[in-house]
Amino acid sequence: MSKSPNRNLPTHLYAQIKDILFERVQNGEWQPGTLIPTETELCELYNVSRITVRRALGELVREGYLERISGRGTFVTQPRVNQPLRQLTSFTEDMQRRGQRPNGKVLDFRVIPANSELADKLNIAKNDLVILLSRLRLANNEPMAVESSYLPQQYFAGIENENFEGQSLYKLLRDKFGVVLTRAIQNISAAACPKREATLLSIPNKSPVLRIFRTTFDESERVIEYVESFYRGDKYVFQAELMVEA
């Protein structure tokens, strides 16, 4: 039996309804993909107004626990991926640790001359050759990110013969080329998703996404990779542990 709001509490009714619905998601009563009751049904179930229910649902949608699909209703979303910021891992390794099946679709794979900006980011000379590997990253066949990696070709002769559809780039660099990545500098910002990437990610144009820029270094402090990525804002949470300085 679902809990009911308590009108004697000082907490707003919409907040109580939000907590009740959230608990049904968290305790597994409503599984990911479940079509939840309509606003009218929730109003009758909890004896509250449509405005109260709509506000509670709106907050759960904004926080990523529910999603509205036009003409179909409101559904429970798949859990977001919680990505710690203190550890450098590949997308493949990260998904495997979470029990999800990683995959990738290669969008672009070619060798290009470095322009001034790219040369600066990779610490190479302008017009030096760079490997561009752009992929759509998937977890359980669901699009999660569009990722474009740039690597100095001088370190990776023959890499153009590799198949990256289901292979971890970082594992390949370690196992085949002996390159051990040790650290990265990463910048994350909120952005409105461009049309091309939105189409690839199966989200509406200009949906909120996390835009990530990362520069990765090896044991010798060589710049090995520069990455530009768009991650779905409704699927990812980046987590950082902050410590107070002594």
Side-chain angles (χ1 to χ4, degrees):
M1 182 73 179
S2 181
K3 293 194 306 185
S4 298
N6 185 344
R7 285 174 166 76
N8 294 320
L9 293 177
T11 308
H12 289 297
L13 277 178
Y14 85 86
Q16 293 187 52
I17 296 298
K18 175 189 173 185
D19 289 344
I20 290 169
L21 300 182
F22 177 72
E23 184 175 333
R24 298 181 75 171
V25 172
Q26 290 297 96
N27 67 19
E29 180 182 350
W30 287 346
Q31 292 289 319
T34 297
L35 173 64
I36 73 168
T38 64
E39 289 183 1
T40 300
E41 290 169 335
L42 291 172
C43 291
E44 294 175 353
L45 178 62
Y46 297 114
N47 192 26
V48 292
S49 70
R50 185 175 290 259
I51 292 175
T52 297
V53 166
R54 189 166 292 169
R55 185 170 180 184
L57 291 175
E59 293 208 356
L60 290 170
V61 169
R62 282 193 295 275
E63 292 171 10
Y65 298 106
L66 301 176
E67 63 177 335
R68 292 190 177 105
I69 301 178
S70 180
R72 294 181 57 196
T74 302
F75 294 80
V76 180
T77 60
Q78 295 291 332
R80 293 188 181 190
V81 173
N82 197 330
Q83 171 67 54
L85 291 177
R86 62 182 178 273
Q87 188 174 8
L88 177 61
T89 58
S90 71
F91 178 90
T92 300
E93 293 167 335
D94 200 43
M95 292 303 106
Q96 288 174 337
R97 289 178 183 178
R98 287 165 171 76
Q100 299 190 49
R101 187 176 69 260
N103 206 343
K105 178 182 178 183
V106 175
L107 305 172
D108 196 358
F109 189 27
R110 55 195 167 99
V111 177
I112 60 174
N115 59 23
S116 298
E117 181 182 4
L118 200 52
D120 182 62
K121 293 183 183 303
L122 291 171
N123 196 26
I124 58 178
K126 184 179 178 181
N127 292 321
D128 278 1
L129 296 180
V130 172
I131 298 158
L132 163 61
L133 172 61
S134 181
R135 290 178 289 176
L136 175 64
R137 311 312 304 269
L138 305 124
N140 294 340
N141 290 322
E142 185 172 17
M144 302 289 284
V146 176
E147 184 179 84
S148 296
S149 299
Y150 301 87
L151 305 98
Q153 190 199 40
Q154 59 186 302
Y155 304 143
F156 305 111
I159 198 173
E160 62 273 9
N161 298 319
E162 298 293 331
N163 179 6
F164 287 96
E165 290 290 337
Q167 182 172 199
S168 165
L169 173 61
Y170 287 2
K171 185 175 186 302
L172 175 71
L173 298 186
R174 181 177 64 245
D175 294 349
K176 184 166 183 175
F177 296 96
V179 172
V180 179
L181 303 177
T182 56
R183 71 181 185 94
I185 298 173
Q186 184 162 274
N187 294 302
I188 304 172
S189 62
C193 194
K195 184 176 181 179
R196 172 182 174 271
E197 283 76 12
T199 299
L200 291 166
L201 293 171
S202 300
I203 58 177
N205 187 31
K206 298 187 187 261
S207 291
V209 291
L210 298 170
R211 191 169 189 186
I212 300 172
F213 302 92
R214 185 173 71 246
T215 305
T216 312
F217 302 81
D218 71 356
E219 294 173 302
S220 302
E221 282 296 291
R222 294 181 304 178
V223 178
I224 295 299
E225 175 196 42
Y226 174 69
V227 187
E228 298 179 356
S229 305
F230 292 90
Y231 276 77
R232 284 180 59 165
D234 62 335
K235 297 295 181 183
Y236 256 82
V237 174
F238 284 88
Q239 180 186 64
E241 181 178 359
L242 307 179
M243 307 295 291
V244 176
E245 289 188 2

